[in-house]
Amino acid sequence: MLPAPYSLLIALACGLLALGLAWAAWHRPDRRRLAGRLAASLAAPLAFWLMAYPPLRAVPAARAEAIVLTPGYQPDTLKQLLRHLGAGTAVWTYGTKPVAHSKALGSLLTLAEQRPALHRLHLLGEGLPAAELALLGRLPVVYHAGPASEGFRAAAWSRQLSLGQYAEAEGSVVATQAGPAWVSLWAEGAGRDSVRLPAGAGSFHLRYQPKTAGLARYELRLRRSGHLQASEPLPLEINTAPLPPVLLLAAVPGFEFKFLKNALAAAGRAVALRTTVSRGLVQTEVLNQAAQSLDHLTPSLLSRYAVVVADAATLATLPGAESQALHGAIREGRLGLVVLADAAPLPAATPARADFVVQPLPVAGATSQLLSWPYAPTAVRAMQPAQLRASAARPLVLAHGSAPVVAARRFGLGAVVVSVVPETFHWALQGQQAAYNSFWSQLLTSATPPPAPAASWQVLDQWPRTQQPLTLRLAGPRPTSLPTVQPLAGGPVVRLALAQDTRLPEWSTAQYWPATAGWHSVRGPGHTTHSFYVYDPAAWRGPELAARQQALAARTTPPGASQGGQPAMTTVQQPWPAGWFFGLFLLAAGFLWLEEKV
């Protein structure tokens, strides 16, 4: 309907047009079809006027109910719902283009202001994010889902890992058509791992060991019949694994400690070796660190190392003061211990000794046994003089697939690892250096104490997206100056206003509205930094829609609950569709033109 100031001009134009057409029809010499010409001469200007100012009509509408359309809604579902609720039911569009007889909704709060008596809301399409869904308060929502989509339904992976660890991605795929499909992991410019889904849908698990550290963006690709169906980003932050210093204590000279010392030093780790040569005489070596005395295990000496690797004979001969210093450092979480045991009970000075029982195995007819541990690069074998019975400990390495030969146990705030695998240096001599390094990395990592707590950031949104509020949480003391966040690709630096979390006093939260997709960095407090990835709105729509549906399921009213009985109806005044009057105008104008030609 046009604005009121134009009504007088349009009325004058329609009147002049009607008079002109009627005068021309009346003064034509041919008097045949005069009545039709006069009727058409009046109908055409009238139809033109009604297109501009259509009359109102009373249409049925559901009282206190409304419809909100979101992207991906189905027009057929809207038509069926309007037939049930009434053609005059209020229809709003949110995040999508308005359709006929609908109004654009800029904010959900506007809906509550303009429709305060609303008792039920019908939601069509993809739904609403959980953060925006809370703006509806306790208003019952009836969700009408769209058709099932094809692609990645769920996915999970480690967003941060250390160089040398495997990047693993798992999830599920949904399909609307039959036929096999391939899911592949693309990293560093090439496909690294793939899995075939015979039915075209199902779960997958992929893995790859990164070769370089830094911020990476891998991809998950879904192919069907040779065509790319979906491609989703897989951002990872790959850090260089810390190399805590290690102290080696050997009772007698041997190849086991010599090879371990050389391997750790070659990897860049600070390492020291103390070997007992005879009673009261020791030989020491210090690599990748300043020279120091290793004659006695004092608290000052142990504070310089993160892990101590010692054989059982060394622990059995430790003086009482050194044994107490070792126990105290482990119990306080400043040190970890790896014990290389033999086919004999552990010495009494071994921390958590009661939790590790060494069971000797018969030597006669003994053969090498296959060892296994997580992410072992190759299969290796070793002669096993004993095995462990450690019900309270966590197995790290197994022989024969089930018998533990290396196990770890918490001791106070630290950890103790016991191994009965002898002469692992043979693996390095046989060209199995990767397996040798992986074995010792498993032991040393399990014994290394956790780092001291420090300020850290966490992104509370699983799928951060552009133009959507993102919640960041700081765990640590409240900073004196405001931290900042900035896109790494370039962009404005934004200061974060922190609010203390009511659940824990050491938590502070801040909201950030990212404007661009890609990697972002938070700096502060102090030297604390944290990187996180912001996704494009089109990325990972499958998991996002699943999360929306879960949030809706927690508060929605089933469709049958509102459709079981007739809703309370009323009438509203709506203008007649302009198409009817446009058709009348064409019919009248066409009749005048055709009648003149005939």
Side-chain angles (χ1 to χ4, degrees):
M1 183 176 293
L2 294 177
Y6 298 98
S7 59
L8 183 59
L9 295 177
I10 296 176
L12 181 59
C14 291
L16 293 176
L17 179 61
L19 290 175
L21 292 176
W23 185 88
W26 181 263
H27 288 84
R28 279 188 60 187
D30 187 0
R31 310 300 290 179
R32 294 176 303 170
R33 297 179 293 274
L34 177 61
R37 288 198 303 269
L38 292 175
S41 300
L42 297 176
L46 180 61
F48 188 78
W49 165 264
L50 293 177
M51 281 191 291
Y53 297 94
L56 299 179
R57 58 171 179 166
V59 294
R63 182 182 302 168
E65 295 195 28
I67 301 172
V68 173
L69 307 178
T70 60
Y73 78 94
Q74 294 298 303
D76 292 340
T77 304
L78 175 61
K79 293 178 181 178
Q80 294 177 4
L81 190 58
L82 287 176
R83 280 198 297 266
H84 175 73
L85 299 179
T89 303
V91 180
W92 305 78
T93 58
Y94 187 72
T96 185
K97 294 181 178 180
V99 296
H101 306 302
S102 68
K103 297 181 181 180
L105 187 64
S107 171
L108 296 177
L109 295 177
T110 305
L111 184 64
E113 295 173 356
Q114 297 188 8
R115 305 278 294 188
L118 193 63
H119 293 164
R120 182 179 292 112
L121 184 68
H122 296 265
L123 191 63
L124 278 66
E126 297 178 355
L128 302 172
E132 298 183 17
L133 192 64
L135 299 177
L136 296 176
R138 298 183 178 180
L139 179 65
V141 177
V142 180
Y143 180 53
H144 304 264
S149 59
E150 184 177 36
F152 295 100
R153 179 68 173 179
W157 66 94
S158 298
R159 312 298 172 97
Q160 293 182 338
L161 65 154
S162 299
L163 188 63
Q165 294 180 331
Y166 279 84
E168 297 187 72
E170 60 182 3
S172 61
V173 173
V174 294
T176 57
Q177 54 182 332
W182 286 88
V183 179
S184 58
L185 172 63
W186 281 71
E188 300 170 0
R192 303 299 179 179
D193 194 11
S194 62
V195 61
R196 183 176 183 268
L197 304 179
S203 59
F204 62 88
H205 184 98
L206 304 173
R207 54 182 292 194
Y208 169 66
Q209 187 177 28
K211 300 299 186 294
T212 57
L215 300 177
R217 185 184 182 277
Y218 296 170
E219 286 187 9
L220 275 180
R221 297 185 179 182
L222 174 64
R223 288 185 175 274
R224 189 186 305 275
S225 301
H227 299 286
L228 183 64
Q229 296 288 327
S231 177
E232 301 291 1
L234 215 68
L236 300 96
E237 182 179 2
I238 306 167
N239 302 311
T240 303
L243 300 175
V246 177
L247 175 60
L248 307 178
L249 304 177
V252 294
F255 289 105
E256 185 72 355
F257 281 90
K258 179 181 178 180
F259 271 79
L260 180 58
K261 174 205 66 177
N262 294 336
L264 296 178
R269 192 189 293 257
V271 59
L273 171 61
R274 190 186 79 174
T275 305
T276 302
V277 179
S278 62
R279 185 177 182 85
L281 181 62
V282 296
Q283 178 183 355
T284 61
E285 294 181 74
V286 178
L287 301 175
N288 296 335
Q289 59 181 317
Q292 55 188 312
S293 175
L294 305 177
D295 294 342
H296 302 285
L297 299 183
T298 62
S300 176
L301 175 63
L302 294 177
S303 65
R304 303 172 187 172
Y305 296 93
V307 180
V308 171
V309 181
D311 52 20
T314 299
L315 295 179
T317 58
L318 280 181
E322 296 186 10
S323 179
Q324 292 179 2
L326 182 64
H327 279 239
I330 300 173
R331 186 177 288 107
E332 294 173 4
R334 296 182 284 106
L335 190 70
L337 176 64
V338 177
V339 181
L340 303 186
D342 47 25
L346 294 173
T350 305
R353 176 177 179 270
D355 296 322
F356 300 95
V357 178
V358 179
Q359 294 180 322
L361 297 176
V363 179
T367 59
S368 61
Q369 300 181 11
L370 187 65
L371 304 184
S372 62
W373 63 89
Y375 309 125
T378 57
V380 292
R381 293 180 175 271
M383 296 294 296
Q384 287 304 125
Q387 66 184 26
L388 294 173
R389 189 177 76 247
S391 57
R394 175 170 57 93
L396 298 179
V397 181
L398 303 177
H400 280 310
S402 59
V405 291
V406 180
R409 177 73 165 89
R410 300 289 297 179
F411 182 73
L413 298 178
V416 177
V417 177
V418 176
S419 170
V420 292
V421 181
E423 299 181 343
T424 59
F425 67 90
H426 284 299
W427 302 339
L429 292 176
Q430 296 169 1
Q432 297 176 310
Q433 187 67 41
Y436 178 82
N437 294 338
S438 176
F439 175 85
W440 281 104
S441 175
Q442 184 82 356
L443 272 61
L444 296 176
T445 301
S446 299
T448 302
S456 61
W457 288 94
Q458 183 181 4
V459 179
L460 300 186
D461 300 71
Q462 186 178 8
W463 306 103
R465 300 186 185 277
T466 58
Q467 307 303 330
Q468 293 290 336
L470 169 64
T471 304
L472 299 169
R473 184 170 67 193
L474 172 65
R478 191 176 180 85
T480 56
S481 59
L482 295 180
T484 61
V485 60
Q486 182 184 22
L488 294 183
V493 179
V494 179
R495 294 187 177 275
L496 297 175
L498 296 175
Q500 187 173 11
D501 197 300
T502 57
R503 291 168 291 182
L504 287 177
E506 59 268 24
W507 284 358
S508 300
T509 58
Q511 273 202 338
Y512 171 61
W513 288 75
T516 59
W519 285 102
H520 291 60
S521 178
V522 182
R523 300 184 182 275
H527 299 288
T528 302
T529 60
H530 176 74
S531 299
F532 64 92
Y533 192 87
V534 176
Y535 298 92
D536 186 86
W540 291 112
R541 297 300 297 170
E544 172 69 14
L545 295 179
R548 292 187 180 189
Q549 291 176 3
Q550 290 177 359
L552 284 167
R555 56 164 297 150
T556 55
T557 303
S562 66
Q563 299 175 3
Q566 289 295 329
M569 304 295 290
T570 185
T571 58
V572 296
Q573 297 294 322
Q574 281 191 357
W576 280 86
W580 291 98
F581 308 112
F582 182 70
L584 177 61
F585 176 81
L586 291 180
L587 181 62
F591 173 79
L592 291 176
W593 178 83
L594 183 61
E595 192 274 337
E596 184 178 0
K597 299 300 181 183
V598 174

